[in-house]
Amino acid sequence: MPLEQALEHLLEAAARAPISACEVVALEHADGRVLAADLLAGCDLPPWPNSAMDGYALRLEGWNGEPLAVSQRIFAGTAPAPLRAGTCARIFTGAPMPEGADCVEMQENTEVLEDGQVRFTAPLKPGQNVRPQGQETRAGDTVLVAGTRLGPVELGLAASLGHAELSVRRKPRVAVLSTGDELAEPGQPLAPGQIYNSNRRVLISWLQRLGCEVLDAGILPDDLALTRARLQGCQAADLILSTGGVSVGEADYLGQALREGGELGLWKLAIKPGKPLTFGHYAGVPVLGLPGNPASTLVTFALLARPYLLRRLGCAEVQPLRFKVRAGFAWPVAGNRREFLRARLEGERAVIYPNQSSGVLRSAAWAQGLVEVPEGTTLAEGDGVYFIPLSEVLG
Ligand code: AMP
Ligand code: MG
């Protein structure tokens, strides 16, 4: 199945199961959350005309260019008196313009004479160095649309308009399940044949950054009865996100449990890493089963699970940003699946980690992003390729 088709299925399913409940939270708790209603400006920004410079405010109209006496000093945070005719006002950046003044000259283009009058040494234009009222935003403007994911800049924008709280979608509850008899948690001794569970850590931290409430469902041994019971125990979740046990191996019980207790979709994605993917539900709770190899988990979460979750929260923009760079490597043999290579940028060239095995999480720790090599394509060094920054999808 092509990636686009899988994504389309997932986004349609997400749109049918929106997490639409809202809550009002203080700005300090709104980082990473999704705005539930359009944010309208309740005032103009700036709220009054103000100076963009440290300098002198004056009225050009009717002025003959002679030096002017300074009639007041206007600091940011004060309310000025109207400008007395035939004078100028000392003014500082961000201070309100006095009524009657129509421009500001920066202090570098002035000279204070012995008698305290100010001489203006450069030509002046009406409105110069003045930030007009409402230049950025007019009262009533929609500054952020519902479905926007809030980050530092959006929160700053809300703060600039005086909002102390925002209405956001409630956090999705995501149960994280790591399947595999071989898994042990860090801190525990390893029995023969065991490895440490890394996917759980990756997914829990990532989901928390994404604004989800994580229900840690722990390690699930490869056992049908236990699989059923654990899925049943996750009924409070909006999504059960599992790793491993979704291929066609003999110890892959997730599919079997879903087939019996819900619905199973088993997709063979035309991407590498990350071929097998399960999407279905157990007793009505959506289940997304990512492949267990750590690099596969990472790629499928970034490209499929993340957009799915964001769409359930009503986000319009769910696809990661990607842009063209030059390949800093050759790709002489075309593959039949689209490859997402862990890569770093060296200038405008993307260089790839030498070991692209889907089991190697170090490749992703080294990488700054994923380079997309389309199926059926060979590349020479210098050819254009898409780059998806990890900083984009991990946030
Ligand atoms: P599976 O999809 O269960 O066949 O697992 C594929 C590969 O990923 C196997 O080598 C597993 O040992 C490994 N794997 C599965 N789950 C995890 C996990 N949570 N952490 C680290 N490696 C895992
Ligand atoms: Mg397994």
Side-chain angles (χ1 to χ4, degrees), residues 178-179 182-183 195-200 243-247 252 291-294:
S178 314
T179 76
E182 73 277 33
L183 300 178
I195 58 166
Y196 286 120
N197 180 0
S198 55
N199 288 337
R200 168 175 168 270
T243 59
V246 294
S247 25
D252 294 339
N293 272 312

Side-chain angles (χ1 to χ4, degrees), residues 231 234-240 258 280-288 312:
L231 291 171
C234 294
Q235 289 299 297
D238 298 301
L239 174 69
I240 299 171
L258 293 192
H281 68 83
Y282 190 82
V285 179
V287 178
L288 189 51
R312 286 192 67 186

Side-chain angles (χ1 to χ4, degrees), residues 20 22 33-40 142-150 154 166-169 310-311 313-317:
S20 34
C22 305
R33 308 290 295 273
V34 174
L35 192 64
D38 287 354
L39 186 72
L40 303 182
T142 301
V143 287
L144 293 172
V145 292
T148 299
R149 239 186 118 222
L150 301 168
E154 290 74 20
L166 291 172
S167 174
V168 296
R169 298 285 187 102
L310 292 177
R311 182 53 54 82
L313 289 171
C315 291
E317 261 174 52

Side-chain angles (χ1 to χ4, degrees), residues 104-368:
V104 169
E105 179 57 297
M106 59 171 141
Q107 63 196 34
E108 290 83 345
N109 292 342
T110 63
E111 189 188 331
V112 181
L113 304 177
E114 270 180 12
D115 62 0
Q117 295 212 338
V118 178
R119 198 168 74 82
F120 294 84
T121 56
L124 293 163
K125 276 193 282 192
Q128 77 174 41
N129 300 323
V130 178
R131 304 170 180 150
Q133 176 174 346
Q135 181 185 43
E136 176 181 341
T137 299
R138 286 272 172 210
D141 280 356
T142 301
V143 287
L144 293 172
V145 292
T148 299
R149 239 186 118 222
L150 301 168
V153 174
E154 290 74 20
L155 296 181
L157 202 51
S160 75
L161 292 161
H163 293 274
E165 1 183 77
L166 291 172
S167 174
V168 296
R169 298 285 187 102
R170 81 158 165 80
K171 289 187 172 192
R173 287 185 285 271
V174 181
V176 174
L177 198 53
S178 314
T179 76
D181 277 340
E182 73 277 33
L183 300 178
E185 286 304 337
Q188 304 298 311
L190 283 183
Q194 282 196 310
I195 58 166
Y196 286 120
N197 180 0
S198 55
N199 288 337
R200 168 175 168 270
R201 195 62 263 152
V202 171
L203 290 181
I204 288 179
S205 298
W206 202 343
L207 287 163
Q208 283 168 343
R209 284 189 177 196
L210 208 51
C212 299
E213 186 188 322
V214 175
L215 314 171
D216 182 6
I219 292 172
L220 172 61
D222 293 317
D223 176 275
L224 184 58
L226 286 174
T227 302
R228 281 196 206 108
R230 198 69 63 85
L231 291 171
Q232 195 60 48
C234 294
Q235 289 299 297
D238 298 301
L239 174 69
I240 299 171
L241 186 65
S242 74
T243 59
V246 294
S247 25
V248 286
E250 278 172 33
D252 294 339
Y253 294 104
L254 184 74
Q256 215 173 313
L258 293 192
R259 205 178 288 121
E260 296 167 5
E263 191 189 326
L264 169 69
L266 198 55
W267 302 342
K268 286 200 174 80
L269 300 178
I271 62 171
K272 190 179 172 185
K275 185 164 138 193
L277 193 96
T278 291
F279 183 64
H281 68 83
Y282 190 82
V285 179
V287 178
L288 189 51
L290 308 181
N293 272 312
S296 309
T297 301
L298 180 115
V299 166
T300 49
F301 188 88
L303 299 179
L304 295 159
R306 182 179 182 273
Y308 168 82
L309 276 167
L310 292 177
R311 182 53 54 82
R312 286 192 67 186
L313 289 171
C315 291
E317 261 174 52
V318 299
Q319 295 255 53
L321 173 81
R322 52 174 208 162
F323 48 82
K324 273 257 165 89
V325 299
R326 302 207 169 275
F329 58 94
W331 195 256
V333 183
N336 53 3
R337 293 190 274 158
R338 194 178 311 171
E339 301 228 12
F340 290 91
L341 308 170
R342 275 72 72 212
R344 284 180 80 84
L345 293 180
E346 280 179 2
E348 58 170 14
R349 287 182 179 238
V351 294
I352 56 176
Y353 194 74
N355 184 347
Q356 293 287 334
S357 156
S358 57
V360 178
L361 191 56
R362 266 182 78 182
S363 63
W366 173 88
Q368 295 166 326

